[in-house]
């Protein structure tokens, strides 16, 4: 039973998340030859204030003010 864990910053729509799950499932089915029903995908969303790269949060890199939180389900 393949299990994929994906971490994304917040801001994707529910439709985009559904599309990611479907695409990843299809990829494992076609490349590993597993049954679609056996594939598990976990999407974890993280606020840009809690996700860092190159020594700073993505919120700071993108110029978001301190304490800024992402809107639920809305892209920034």
């Amino acid at each position: 039973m393949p299990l994929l864990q994906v971490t994304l910053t917040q801001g994707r729509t529910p439709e985009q998340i559904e599309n990611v799950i479907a695409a990843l499932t299809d990829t494992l089915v076609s490349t590993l030859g597993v049954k679609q029903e056996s594939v598990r995908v976990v999407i974890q969303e993280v606020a840009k204030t809690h996700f860092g790269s190159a020594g700073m949060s993505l919120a700071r890199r993108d110029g978001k003010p301190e304490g800024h939180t992402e809107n639920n389900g809305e892209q920034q």
Side-chain angles (χ1 to χ4, degrees):
M1 172 179 70
L3 169 65
L4 292 174
Q5 295 178 309
V6 179
T7 303
L8 300 170
T9 55
Q10 291 174 331
R12 275 53 176 209
T13 65
E15 181 181 30
Q16 288 174 315
I17 297 295
E18 288 288 338
N19 290 339
V20 167
I21 292 169
L24 292 173
T25 299
D26 290 345
T27 298
L28 287 183
V29 168
S30 66
T31 59
L32 298 179
V34 298
K35 293 181 181 181
Q36 185 178 28
E37 297 79 23
S38 72
V39 177
R40 305 292 187 260
V41 179
V42 177
I43 306 288
Q44 178 180 1
E45 291 186 290
V46 179
K48 287 185 177 184
T49 57
H50 290 77
F51 197 106
S53 176
M56 69 179 73
S57 72
L58 297 184
R60 179 179 290 170
R61 183 200 69 188
D62 293 346
K64 305 284 185 197
E66 289 296 320
H68 175 84
T69 57
E70 300 293 326
N71 294 331
N72 290 336
E74 296 180 13
Q75 289 190 352
Q76 298 293 312

